[in-house]
Amino acid sequence: QVQLVESGGGLVQPGGSLRLSCAASGSISRFYRIGWSRQAPGKHPEFVAGITNDGNTEYADSVKGRFTVSRDNANNTVYLQMNNLKPEDTSIYYCNALPSARSNYQYWGQGTQVTVSS
């Protein structure tokens, strides 16, 4: 069974940085896309960043220029480098994976809390 485990969340001051990690139970190359979404209380999940199995990346407008998604295929791990964090980035961040471009479901991790506050 596919398992995605996030880590690296925590409390950071505005302007600071965090790096989130998502460790997958198997090869991340098997997914069409793997990346990150976030969900604040009372809100729908919001796509943040993703990377396809051929290396294409996509970012939400709100994080472009600040966040970078990358992958380490050898270690079955996806990262989200978050720089210049803002209070509005506060959310639970979830690793998620789309098995194929035609899939109507995604796998989700348990989430890791990111809080940006002074």
Side-chain angles (χ1 to χ4, degrees), residues 26-33 53 71 98-100:
S27 174
I28 58 176
S29 296
R30 298 178 181 180
F31 300 118
Y32 168 71
R33 187 188 70 218
N53 57 14
R71 61 195 294 169
L98 187 67
S100 75

Side-chain angles (χ1 to χ4, degrees), residues 5 9 12 18 24 29 34 39 42 45-46 49 63 71 73 78 80 85 87 97 106 113 117-118:
V5 181
V12 65
L18 283 174
S29 296
I34 188 168
Q39 186 173 24
E46 175 192 19
V63 306
R71 61 195 294 169
N73 288 345
V78 174
L80 184 67
L85 283 160
Q106 296 186 34
Q113 177 71 46
S117 176
S118 298

Side-chain angles (χ1 to χ4, degrees), residues 28-87:
I28 58 176
S29 296
R30 298 178 181 180
F31 300 118
Y32 168 71
R33 187 188 70 218
I34 188 168
W36 300 88
S37 296
R38 63 189 182 187
Q39 186 173 24
K43 305 294 183 180
H44 289 104
E46 175 192 19
F47 168 79
V48 175
I51 184 167
T52 62
N53 57 14
D54 60 357
N56 291 323
T57 57
E58 185 177 349
Y59 298 93
D61 288 341
S62 59
V63 306
K64 284 182 179 177
R66 300 188 298 120
F67 291 11
T68 303
V69 63
S70 61
R71 61 195 294 169
D72 183 348
N73 288 345
N75 291 298
N76 301 325
T77 303
V78 174
Y79 302 97
L80 184 67
Q81 178 65 47
M82 305 185 294
N83 298 325
N84 192 25
L85 283 160
K86 304 175 180 180

